Amino acid sequence: MNKRIKILIVEDEVLIAEFIREMLNKEGYESVGVVYDLQSAVHYIEKNEPEILLLDINIGVKDGGIELAKKRNPKVSVIYITAQNDEGTMLKAIETSPVNYLTKPIRKIEVLASIKLAIKNLKNESIVVKDSYKEIKIFYYDLLFVKSDGNYIEIHTTTKKYVIRQSLDTFLNELNSPLFCKSHRSYIVNKEKVTMKTSTSVFLDTIEIPLSRSYSLNF
């Protein structure tokens, strides 16, 4: 699964971009795209939804990569590439929560270590479930709540509902994150999505989830 992670290289120096792509291909990464300007990067991201960006800080214009990173989906990991090492630029970049900050000339060992760190972070922030014959990666950022229904659970995300055969407690253990807790014996809730709490319910905007007294201290 890790080698099928979707990576996009955004770098206007063609030789550097192709060097990184070839390096990653040789290491077995199967889905590596390359673009050389900001407009192409925006189009590629909208169409292909990469999970890791190797991003030149000054692509197109000064700090162009930083501006692109600010607009990305929060689940996408960023690894910056730059020839600069001034403190001001670095502080701006750090504000976008990158995985790492690579300086040119690019070194293979640093690129590969950064990719592995990004994959580890993604793994810690997502769970893979089987939907029919497909494996679906659900990012914690998108997961709203989980409801038990007999021998099955319903996983509700911001865009879709998945139904799998598993116990609620087993799924909670697999999530293994403090973001999630039970609000009721039949419900797991993403605490970051809770917008209101009453004595008997928690709300995720307009979605009302029952809250049992025994779980009320979780919120």
Side-chain angles (χ1 to χ4, degrees), residues 88-117:
T89 299
M90 187 177 295
L91 290 175
K92 288 180 186 177
I94 287 172
E95 288 178 0
T96 64
S97 302
V99 171
N100 209 347
Y101 188 100
L102 304 178
T103 56
K104 299 174 184 177
I106 297 301
R107 288 168 285 276
K108 177 180 178 180
I109 189 169
E110 293 180 358
V111 174
L112 295 180
S114 296
I115 293 290
K116 289 177 181 177
L117 179 59

Side-chain angles (χ1 to χ4, degrees), residues 77-93:
S77 294
V78 168
I79 300 166
Y80 282 119
I81 303 170
T82 184
Q84 296 180 266
N85 56 12
D86 64 280
E87 185 178 1
T89 299
M90 187 177 295
L91 290 175
K92 288 180 186 177

Side-chain angles (χ1 to χ4, degrees), residues 182-215:
K182 280 187 168 183
S183 67
H184 180 276
R185 62 185 176 84
S186 298
Y187 286 86
I188 295 168
V189 173
N190 184 340
K191 292 191 288 185
E192 284 197 342
K193 302 296 184 181
V194 174
T195 55
M196 187 172 72
K197 173 187 172 183
T198 69
S199 60
T200 57
S201 303
V202 290
F203 289 82
L204 288 61
D205 289 326
T206 59
I207 302 170
E208 183 176 3
I209 307 291
L211 176 63
S212 299
R213 183 180 301 177
S214 56
Y215 296 110

Side-chain angles (χ1 to χ4, degrees), residues 123-182:
K123 184 177 179 182
N124 289 341
E125 296 175 1
S126 64
I127 189 168
V128 176
V129 300
K130 286 193 174 182
D131 181 30
S132 187
Y133 297 103
K134 297 181 294 184
E135 286 189 342
I136 306 295
K137 179 181 287 185
I138 300 175
F139 286 91
Y140 292 170
Y141 177 84
D142 292 324
L143 205 165
L144 298 174
F145 68 95
V146 186
K147 178 183 177 182
S148 177
D149 185 11
N151 294 324
Y152 293 83
I153 56 173
E154 299 175 1
I155 303 169
H156 294 256
T157 73
T158 54
T159 57
K160 192 174 179 180
K161 179 178 78 173
Y162 302 94
V163 179
I164 64 172
R165 186 181 178 88
Q166 193 171 32
S167 74
L168 196 68
D169 286 335
T170 298
F171 190 74
L172 181 60
N173 287 335
E174 290 181 359
L175 286 170
N176 191 29
S177 168
L179 284 178
F180 301 97
C181 64
K182 280 187 168 183

Side-chain angles (χ1 to χ4, degrees), residues 66-73:
I66 294 175
E67 293 305 312
L68 178 62
K70 288 179 181 178
K71 299 172 185 176
R72 79 191 191 275
N73 187 313

